[in-house]
Amino acid sequence: MPRGKSQAPKQLGQALQARLRRVRLVAMDVDGVLTDAGMYYSESGDELKKFNTRDGMGIKMLQAAGQKLAVPEVHQGIDDKLAVLTTLAQKYGLSFDQVAYIGDDVNDLEALRSVGFSAAPADAMPSVLKAVHYVCKKKGGKGAVREIADLILAVRKQP
């Protein structure tokens, strides 16, 4: 694969491309997906998280392309992620077939199994890697979200 190029959509297979074309809302877990799952603490005890700016750019690119990314909606401490996805899909008038979800751990499995397109970072838990439609080449906090954004956008550009 040429340096600096994302995976060509034609290498994904027709079924996966069709799933990606239907995506209108992208939701994701934070810890282990947008971050490396590490917990960092300052001397004063503040919890810090490291985010990858390329993932942030991927989210901005999806927003510019018309994806419904509810970035201002941050849901913390949620046990039932599927319930939150249900609420978001209803809010935007979408079916689960039009929702993508990126997760990395067992608490994401129900959501991952319910959406039209599911993905996991390369370093996700083994049970998650087996359950998703696509396993990223990148790890959590290291560009996995950008990888998915690039795939969605590349498939959309195809005739």
Side-chain angles (χ1 to χ4, degrees):
M1 180 166 22
R3 185 179 217 178
K5 298 273 184 174
S6 63
Q7 183 174 359
K10 60 186 163 193
Q11 294 174 331
L12 293 176
Q14 294 296 331
L16 194 54
Q17 288 183 55
R19 287 181 181 278
L20 286 164
R21 268 191 208 94
R22 288 190 293 267
V23 171
R24 296 294 174 266
L25 184 142
V26 179
M28 65 201 70
D29 187 31
V30 173
D31 294 328
V33 174
L34 281 171
T35 76
D36 63 4
M39 301 297 275
Y40 306 95
Y41 295 93
S42 69
E43 286 183 26
S44 61
D46 295 325
E47 184 180 307
L48 308 169
K49 295 181 185 201
K50 177 183 154 202
F51 295 90
N52 188 305
T53 58
R54 291 184 184 126
D55 287 336
M57 181 57 74
I59 291 170
K60 286 181 181 180
M61 291 164 55
L62 286 172
Q63 288 173 318
Q67 293 293 305
K68 292 176 172 40
L69 290 162
V71 174
E73 290 189 36
V74 176
H75 302 270
Q76 295 181 326
I78 302 298
D79 291 326
D80 189 351
K81 295 180 182 189
L82 184 56
V84 173
L85 285 180
T86 300
T87 300
L88 288 172
Q90 289 172 347
K91 178 178 180 176
Y92 292 110
L94 301 172
S95 68
F96 274 144
D97 198 38
Q98 297 172 295
V99 176
Y101 186 76
I102 311 165
D104 71 307
D105 213 332
V106 295
N107 60 338
D108 296 308
L109 281 170
E110 191 176 19
L112 289 165
R113 290 180 177 137
S114 299
V115 297
F117 176 75
S118 60
D123 58 344
M125 296 304 297
S127 59
V128 172
L129 296 173
K130 290 176 187 173
V132 297
H133 298 116
Y134 181 82
V135 175
C136 297
K137 291 174 180 53
K138 303 283 186 179
K139 294 180 179 180
K142 307 267 186 202
V145 172
R146 175 61 178 270
E147 183 177 336
I148 297 303
D150 286 346
L151 287 176
I152 292 169
L153 295 170
V155 165
R156 288 260 177 101
K157 288 180 184 175
Q158 284 188 325

